[in-house]
Amino acid sequence: MTDNNTLQDLIIEGITDRKGKKITIVDMSGIESAAASKFIIAEGTSSMQVAAIADSVREYVQKNGDIKPYNYDGYQNAEWIVIDYGDTLVHIFVPETRQRYNLEDLWSDAVITDIPDLD
């Protein structure tokens, strides 16, 4: 069950479970120089919520997909946590940090899909 769409769906479920907002999928599978084929980017309103969203993603994907991340980082200040699932990297930001690094703009030649917020 390591199909890429399934992993993507599990990650999005994990994000929305903790009220993560502004979910964006950056599909870089057509870009040779890209380090990963997909970024899933979301944000929380505070560093505490960012950490809770990251925990939720890791727990949800592990429980429902039996997939563990290769690595994760950013819990120290929790302004930007990245979770590494190999071809898919999950980035969870506080809004100011997301704007500063603007990954969507950096990879603007990728296929970018915004997932509407649930509320």
Side-chain angles (χ1 to χ4, degrees):
M1 186 167 129
T2 53
D3 171 72
N4 231 351
N5 281 343
T6 308
L7 175 60
Q8 176 179 309
D9 294 341
L10 292 172
I11 291 167
I12 291 170
E13 282 292 319
I15 292 169
T16 55
D17 198 50
R18 289 287 177 270
K19 308 282 188 262
K21 300 272 186 235
K22 297 188 178 162
I23 301 170
T24 302
I25 297 161
V26 181
D27 182 347
M28 300 171 297
S29 55
I31 302 171
E32 268 186 56
S33 60
S37 57
K38 192 176 287 177
F39 282 174
I40 299 176
I41 305 168
E43 63 185 56
T45 54
S46 65
S47 56
M48 195 164 13
Q49 187 187 14
V50 165
I53 293 167
D55 287 343
S56 175
V57 168
R58 289 178 27 232
E59 290 162 13
Y60 195 88
V61 171
Q62 167 94 46
K63 190 173 125 203
N64 298 288
D66 200 29
I67 304 166
K68 283 185 179 169
Y70 293 105
N71 208 343
Y72 49 88
D73 194 25
Y75 277 90
Q76 302 83 354
N77 62 13
E79 290 181 3
W80 176 6
I81 295 177
V82 63
I83 308 169
D84 179 357
Y85 286 104
D87 265 0
T88 301
L89 295 176
V90 183
H91 298 272
I92 303 157
F93 289 99
V94 291
E96 310 78 65
T97 306
R98 182 176 183 172
Q99 284 176 332
R100 185 177 322 129
Y101 290 99
N102 200 347
L103 296 180
E104 296 92 332
D105 223 34
L106 194 63
W107 293 101
S108 59
D109 46 349
V111 177
I112 296 178
T113 310
D114 292 318
I115 308 292
D117 290 340
L118 291 179
D119 54 355

